[in-house]
Amino acid sequence: MNDQSATRLDMLRFLERVQERDLRRTQQWIAAEERRQAEQERGQQRRPPEPDWTIEQGLNGGVPVYVHRGDCHMAGKRSRGVSQEQARYALAQGVDACTHCRPDTELGVLE
């Protein structure tokens, strides 16, 4: 038997072990990514629906400063979802309408 062919066979078996290890690691990464995506999908399904209207509170937290449509990109983090009636009432009470989404126009409450 030739020493060189045994050495080549040894190298091929070593390569096989390395590739099997890499394959197992890749399969673990795939499984982890599938779990992450499934968890993200469950979170999206359980997320409450976006409100139709929001009222943005001022820095002090108590005084409303703007009425927004629920999908307005300008609504701040201090916004809370409200009903259509509450949004109309806030506008009627003098809370400013957002100049970007114009909820007053959609609600039919024009100044």
Side-chain angles (χ1 to χ4, degrees):
M1 182 167 250
N2 181 334
D3 278 345
Q4 209 171 19
S5 67
T7 303
R8 181 168 167 73
L9 182 59
D10 290 341
M11 289 188 322
L12 289 171
R13 295 227 188 263
F14 173 75
L15 178 60
E16 179 183 42
R17 288 192 305 273
V18 169
Q19 290 176 333
E20 286 173 345
R21 184 193 67 207
D22 288 347
L23 177 60
R24 285 191 300 275
R25 183 176 44 207
T26 301
Q27 289 169 334
Q28 290 171 349
W29 289 341
I30 289 170
E33 182 64 18
E34 288 172 341
R35 285 191 300 273
R36 188 193 66 76
Q37 285 182 359
E39 183 176 324
Q40 190 174 19
E41 288 173 16
R42 281 192 305 275
Q44 289 295 331
Q45 291 170 352
R46 292 178 181 164
R47 184 180 207 148
E50 188 176 85
D52 291 332
W53 311 100
T54 63
I55 293 181
E56 183 175 347
Q57 305 295 318
L59 291 175
N60 65 4
V63 179
V65 291
Y66 292 110
V67 176
H68 297 275
R69 284 190 353 215
D71 61 352
C72 181
H73 67 280
M74 294 300 291
K77 294 186 181 208
R78 296 179 310 275
S79 298
R80 62 179 172 80
V82 296
S83 68
Q84 184 175 8
E85 294 78 27
Q86 290 170 314
R88 275 197 178 113
Y89 181 77
L91 290 169
Q93 294 299 308
V95 177
D96 290 333
C98 171
T99 58
H100 294 271
C101 65
R102 300 307 308 181
D104 51 346
T105 302
E106 194 166 329
L107 288 168
V109 181
L110 301 175
E111 296 178 29

